[in-house]
Amino acid sequence: MYPWYVINLDRDTDRWARVKAEADAAHIQLTRWPGVDAKALAPEQRTRYLSVRTEYDILHTLRRCDHRSINTIGPVGCFLAHMNCIKHIRDNHPEGAIVLEDDAAFPYKTQTQAMARELVRGAKTDFVLLHARKYSGVRDSSNPTRAFPLTHLFEGFLAYYISPKGAAYLLSRALPIEGHVDLYAGMMLTHPRAPFQGAVAGDNLVTTYSSKSTISHSFCGHCINGPSSLKKDRGVRIQDEYQIATICLGSILALVVIVVAVYTITHTKGS
């Protein structure tokens, strides 16, 4: 039996109550792991945890280009919470453990634990994704307990099994934080010099409770500074796009004025 951990902020008691009740109904014993309030980090902690680029982007709320960049503090808490949990697994669980986020749901109900055990044992590796989003590698949705080689990047870090060896590997290059935790894990696990081949379930053994959940790796439910940051980021993007459009329009008008002036002067001299 593998231990099951769920990452949850102290303030999100309702989310913990919901996931625990669903896990109890599925006969899964959950252990709550505290999330990280990244807004409470002292400036020297931010400097120690973050790359120069990430800290700069957050300080200036720069426009986020894609999933490779972080421009709000929320994903930092997400990243640290996962790393803290897997460090605990490395040091305390020689058999490994399963880590969840607090918007996890269990579509296979009471079969979930046995199916996860079958999947992990069959995979015979140190990391197994129980849920993968936007994954383009080979899978078979008709066989959720069959493990397939993890060959591509993925989005989301909702549910996964990790061994002490897998934990040690992911911890080895975790700092400074440069990107979202799922992207970091995906790049490490698909690296050509990775010490083991990760695996992914044929189909998701664990799913998200609701499509309206606040948990994501851009704005994590178990990390402070979620939806408000999203609104702020959208506002910054709109402002940036407006400024760019204004500059372009101004340049075009200036060019038109110059062309008209040159034509007028030339035409006048010719007459």
Side-chain angles (χ1 to χ4, degrees):
M1 300 286 286
Y2 303 110
W4 290 61
Y5 287 90
V6 61
I7 297 172
N8 170 257
L9 272 173
D10 292 343
R11 64 181 176 86
D12 284 338
T13 55
D14 55 335
R15 297 172 70 90
W16 164 243
R18 196 280 311 164
V19 72
K20 186 177 185 304
E22 187 162 340
D24 288 345
H27 300 165
I28 297 171
Q29 183 176 350
L30 289 183
T31 299
R32 181 183 171 276
W33 187 265
V36 173
D37 179 352
K39 288 185 70 176
L41 295 175
E44 59 271 18
Q45 288 178 303
R46 293 193 184 193
T47 300
R48 179 159 57 94
Y49 292 142
L50 304 179
S51 70
V52 173
R53 173 193 170 183
T54 300
E55 186 174 22
Y56 183 89
D57 287 355
I58 292 173
L59 287 172
H60 296 276
T61 321
L62 295 186
R63 181 177 179 179
R64 179 182 162 195
C65 299
D66 56 28
H67 200 58
R68 295 173 183 268
S69 58
I70 293 177
N71 66 345
T72 61
I73 198 65
V76 174
C78 178
F79 196 111
L80 291 173
H82 277 276
M83 293 301 118
N84 290 344
C85 187
I86 68 173
K87 181 179 180 182
H88 174 79
I89 293 168
R90 180 198 65 184
D91 297 339
N92 295 277
H93 295 295
E95 76 281 22
I98 290 172
V99 181
L100 307 173
E101 293 180 342
D102 62 6
D103 58 342
F106 311 100
Y108 293 98
K109 306 299 181 183
T110 57
Q111 301 177 58
T112 304
Q113 190 159 220
M115 293 173 72
R117 185 166 58 249
E118 181 182 348
L119 170 69
V120 172
R121 287 180 176 175
K124 298 179 181 178
T125 188
D126 296 286
F127 182 92
V128 184
L129 269 180
L130 277 64
H131 175 276
R133 185 162 53 90
K134 294 187 178 180
Y135 179 74
S136 58
V138 175
R139 299 177 78 188
D140 178 6
S141 60
S142 67
N143 197 348
T145 59
R146 180 183 171 188
F148 291 82
L150 183 63
T151 56
H152 291 65
L153 298 180
F154 52 88
E155 284 193 14
F157 221 34
L158 179 74
Y160 56 91
Y161 161 84
I162 193 164
S163 74
K165 179 180 176 181
Y169 176 59
L170 288 190
L171 288 166
S172 66
R173 299 181 67 179
L175 300 179
I177 298 171
E178 183 73 25
H180 296 263
V181 65
D182 52 339
L183 179 65
Y184 165 75
M187 290 191 295
M188 287 286 283
L189 293 164
T190 57
H191 196 283
R193 293 194 298 275
F196 57 86
Q197 172 76 68
V200 58
D203 194 22
N204 295 332
L205 284 181
V206 178
T207 58
T208 52
Y209 172 68
S210 170
S211 59
K212 297 181 180 179
S213 170
T214 58
I215 282 195
S216 74
H217 288 280
S218 301
F219 313 98
C220 298
H222 54 259
C223 308
I224 297 294
N225 205 28
S228 61
S229 297
L230 177 59
K231 293 177 183 178
K232 183 178 180 182
D233 185 49
R234 283 177 177 167
V236 170
R237 293 185 182 189
I238 292 171
Q239 183 179 7
D240 288 347
E241 289 166 2
Y242 176 78
Q243 290 174 347
I244 291 171
T246 302
I247 292 171
C248 290
L249 180 59
S251 300
I252 292 170
L253 290 175
L255 182 61
V256 169
V257 169
I258 292 171
V259 170
V260 171
V262 170
Y263 175 81
T264 302
I265 292 171
T266 304
H267 182 74
T268 301
K269 288 181 178 179
S271 301

